[in-house]
C-alpha cells in the first residue's frame, strides 16, 4: 500500500482543498487560521516532507536553514515567491513551487474595478451614502472621468497585463505598454510597445502596474516618474506595493498631479501609510486580487498538485521555481 506523505499546512484552505488534503496526506498544522511565528511552525514541521505555505509565511535564509532535514518541497499558494529566499532554498536542496496562471482573470477583473473606482470617485460617492450626506442632484456634482477617452499604459504586459488590456479595449481605451522586450504579436494584440519606461509614462493617462517586485522595479514609480505622466493621470496598482514610492505618490495625489489612484497592494501590508486612508481620491482595497472562490480553490489545488507530484509522483514538481 502506498505511503501517505506527511506535510505541514500553514493556513486554512477553501473546503474542497481541505477535503483533498485530508484524503491524500497526513496534515500537521497550527491551531487557528492566522500567520503563526516560525518557531511554532518549525516545531510542527518536524518529520514533515513538504510544506504548503502562502505569502503570509516569510521564509528568509535563517528560517530555511533551520527547517527539519525531512523537508523536501515548499509549495507556495501564490504566483509570487519573493517571500521565499530561493538561494537559501536551493542551497538546502529544497524544491520550491508556485501557482502561476490561475489568478490572471480574477486579478485583471480587480484591476478594472480599481480603475473604475478611482476614475468615478467611488470612495467619495460611497461616503455620501454611508454618512447620509447625499443631497440634491447637481449638474456638476461628483464628476469623474470617462476611462474610454484615456490612454492606458501598462508596465508589464505579461499574462495579467494582457488580460487587463483585453478588458480595457472593451471600454475603448488605447493600450500602450513597456516590457524589456517587445511582446509577441498575439500578446501585444495591437498595443503600442515603448522601449523605455519614460516613453510609456509620457502617454499614460492611466498607468497600470503589473510588474514583478525585483531590485530593478522596487520604487520605480517615484517623483521623477510621476512628473513624466500627463497632468491628472490615474495610477492603478494590483501588482506589488513596493513598486511605488509612497511619499511621492501621496504628494502627487495631494497636489493634483495624480487625479486619483486605485490600489490593492501596499508596501509593508497589512500595515500601510495611514495617509492613504484619508485621501478622498484613493480607492483602496486590501489585496483581494485573487479573492474569488473559484480562484482560491484553483490556487490551493495547484499547490497540492505540486506537493503530490514531488512526494507521490516521482519527485518532479509541476511548476518548479528552484
Amino acid at each position: 500500500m502506498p505511503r501517505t506523505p506527511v506535510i505541514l499546512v500553514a493556513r486554512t484552505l477553501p473546503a474542497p482543498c481541505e477535503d483533498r488534503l485530508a484524503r491524500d496526506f497526513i496534515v500537521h498544522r497550527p491551531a487557528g487560521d492566522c500567520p503563526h511565528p516560525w518557531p511554532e511552525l518549525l516545531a510542527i514541521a518536524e518529520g514533515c516532507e513538504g510544506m504548503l505555505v502562502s505569502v503570509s509565511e516569510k521564509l528568509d535564509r535563517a528560517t530555511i536553514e533551520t527547517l527539519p532535514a525531512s523537508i523536501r518541497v515548499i509549495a507556495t499558494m501564490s504566483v509570487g515567491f519573493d517571500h521565499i529566499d530561493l538561494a537559501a532554498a536551493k542551497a538546502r536542496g529544497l524544491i520550491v513551487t508556485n501557482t502561476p496562471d490561475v489568478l490572471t482573470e480574477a486579478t485583471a477583473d480587480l484591476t478594472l474595478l480599481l480603475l473604475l473606482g478611482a476614475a468615478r470617485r467611488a470612495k467619495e460617492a460611497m461616503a455620501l451614502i454611508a454618512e447620509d450626506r447625499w443631497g440634491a442632484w447637481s449638474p456638476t456634482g461628483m464628476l469623474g472621468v470617462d476611462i474610454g477617452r484615456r490612454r492606458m499604459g501598462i508596465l508589464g504586459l505579461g499574462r495579467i497585463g494582457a488580460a487587463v488590456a483585453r478588458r480595457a479595449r472593451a471600454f475603448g481605451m488605447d493600450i500602450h505598454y513597456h516590457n524589456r522586450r517587445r511582446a509577441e504579436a498575439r500578446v501585444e494584440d495591437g498595443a503600442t510597445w515603448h522601449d523605455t519606461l519614460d516613453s510609456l509614462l509620457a502617454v499614460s493617462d492611466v498607468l497600470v502596474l503589473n510588474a514583478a517586485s525585483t531590485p530593478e522595479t522596487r520604487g520605480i514609480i517615484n517623483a521623477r516618474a510621476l512628473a513624466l505622466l500627463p497632468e491628472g493621470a490615474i495610477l492603478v496598482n494590483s501588482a506589488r506595493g513596493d513598486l511605488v514610492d509612497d511619499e511621492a505618490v501621496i504628494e502627487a495625489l495631494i497636489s493634483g498631479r495624480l487625479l486619483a489612484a486605485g490600489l490593492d497592494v501596499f508596501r509593508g501590508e497589512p500595515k500601510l501609510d495611514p495617509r492613504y486612508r484619508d485621501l478622498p481620491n484613493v480607492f483602496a482595497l486590501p489585496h483581494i486580487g485573487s479573492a474569488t472562490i473559484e480562484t482560491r480553490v484553483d490556487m490551493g489545488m495547484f499547490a497540492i498538485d505540486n506537493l503530490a507530484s514531488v512526494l507521490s509522483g516521482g519527485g518532479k514538481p509541476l511548476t518548479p521555481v528552484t
Side-chain angles (χ1 to χ4, degrees), residues 30-76:
D33 181 32
C34 61
H36 290 266
W38 268 110
E40 180 183 348
L41 293 177
L42 289 172
I44 298 170
E46 197 64 44
C48 293
E49 302 161 79
M51 301 170 62
L52 199 163
V53 301
S54 68
V55 294
S56 61
E57 285 71 56
K58 310 299 182 186
L59 284 83
D60 58 16
R61 178 173 293 277
T63 300
I64 288 173
E65 288 176 349
T66 58
L67 289 177
S70 57
I71 298 291
R72 296 165 50 197
V73 55
I74 300 171
T76 180

Side-chain angles (χ1 to χ4, degrees), residues 57-126:
E57 285 71 56
K58 310 299 182 186
L59 284 83
D60 58 16
R61 178 173 293 277
T63 300
I64 288 173
E65 288 176 349
T66 58
L67 289 177
S70 57
I71 298 291
R72 296 165 50 197
V73 55
I74 300 171
T76 180
M77 182 180 158
S78 61
V79 173
F81 40 82
D82 44 303
H83 55 296
I84 301 174
D85 188 322
L86 297 184
K90 186 174 182 179
R92 277 287 305 267
L94 296 174
I95 296 169
V96 178
T97 70
N98 67 335
T99 58
D101 305 339
V102 295
L103 52 70
T104 298
E105 303 304 322
T107 303
D109 287 347
L110 191 280
T111 302
L112 266 293
L113 171 61
L114 292 171
L115 171 54
L116 290 168
R120 297 300 300 271
R121 301 173 62 181
K123 179 179 180 179
E124 296 169 86
M126 292 167 66

Side-chain angles (χ1 to χ4, degrees), residues 2 72 80 115 125 238 250 263 315:
R72 296 165 50 197
L115 171 54
S238 59
I250 289 168
L263 307 174

Side-chain angles (χ1 to χ4, degrees), residues 35-300:
H36 290 266
W38 268 110
E40 180 183 348
L41 293 177
L42 289 172
I44 298 170
E46 197 64 44
C48 293
E49 302 161 79
M51 301 170 62
L52 199 163
V53 301
S54 68
V55 294
S56 61
E57 285 71 56
K58 310 299 182 186
L59 284 83
D60 58 16
R61 178 173 293 277
T63 300
I64 288 173
E65 288 176 349
T66 58
L67 289 177
S70 57
I71 298 291
R72 296 165 50 197
V73 55
I74 300 171
T76 180
M77 182 180 158
S78 61
V79 173
F81 40 82
D82 44 303
H83 55 296
I84 301 174
D85 188 322
L86 297 184
K90 186 174 182 179
R92 277 287 305 267
L94 296 174
I95 296 169
V96 178
T97 70
N98 67 335
T99 58
D101 305 339
V102 295
L103 52 70
T104 298
E105 303 304 322
T107 303
D109 287 347
L110 191 280
T111 302
L112 266 293
L113 171 61
L114 292 171
L115 171 54
L116 290 168
R120 297 300 300 271
R121 301 173 62 181
K123 179 179 180 179
E124 296 169 86
M126 292 167 66
L128 293 178
I129 297 292
E131 299 167 12
D132 194 22
R133 294 189 290 108
W134 185 12
W137 181 87
S138 165
T140 59
M142 288 303 303
L143 298 182
V145 297
D146 290 336
I147 63 171
R149 303 189 189 198
R150 294 193 161 221
R151 299 163 294 181
M152 174 178 281
I154 300 176
L155 176 58
L157 194 73
R159 292 182 179 89
I160 295 174
V164 170
R166 289 197 301 273
R167 287 156 172 77
R169 287 189 188 94
F171 287 89
M173 300 189 78
D174 183 26
I175 309 301
H176 299 251
Y177 74 98
H178 169 63
N179 287 354
R180 285 177 295 178
R181 290 178 293 275
R182 186 169 184 172
E184 297 178 11
R186 62 179 180 80
V187 176
E188 192 174 76
D189 195 20
T192 301
W193 176 56
H194 295 258
D195 61 356
T196 68
L197 175 60
D198 286 4
S199 174
L200 176 72
L201 293 172
V203 300
S204 295
D205 301 313
V206 172
L207 178 63
V208 176
L209 307 183
N210 285 121
S213 174
T214 68
E216 294 74 32
T217 61
R218 288 175 196 132
I220 195 169
I221 304 305
N222 52 26
R224 178 188 172 278
L226 293 168
L228 295 175
L229 290 169
E231 189 77 23
I234 296 173
L235 174 67
V236 178
N237 189 7
S238 59
R240 286 290 184 267
D242 62 8
L243 299 181
V244 307
D245 177 335
D246 287 334
E247 194 67 41
V249 168
I250 289 168
E251 174 57 35
L253 288 163
I254 293 171
S255 70
R257 177 72 195 172
L258 282 175
L259 177 72
L263 307 174
D264 186 47
V265 290
F266 299 88
R267 185 187 300 271
E269 60 187 49
K271 301 294 183 181
L272 68 152
D273 191 311
R275 291 175 293 177
Y276 281 123
R277 298 192 190 97
D278 299 329
L279 289 171
N281 53 347
V282 174
F283 182 71
L285 297 173
H287 202 156
I288 59 170
S290 66
T292 69
I293 295 168
E294 297 85 354
T295 298
R296 290 286 172 83
V297 169
D298 287 347
M299 291 171 69

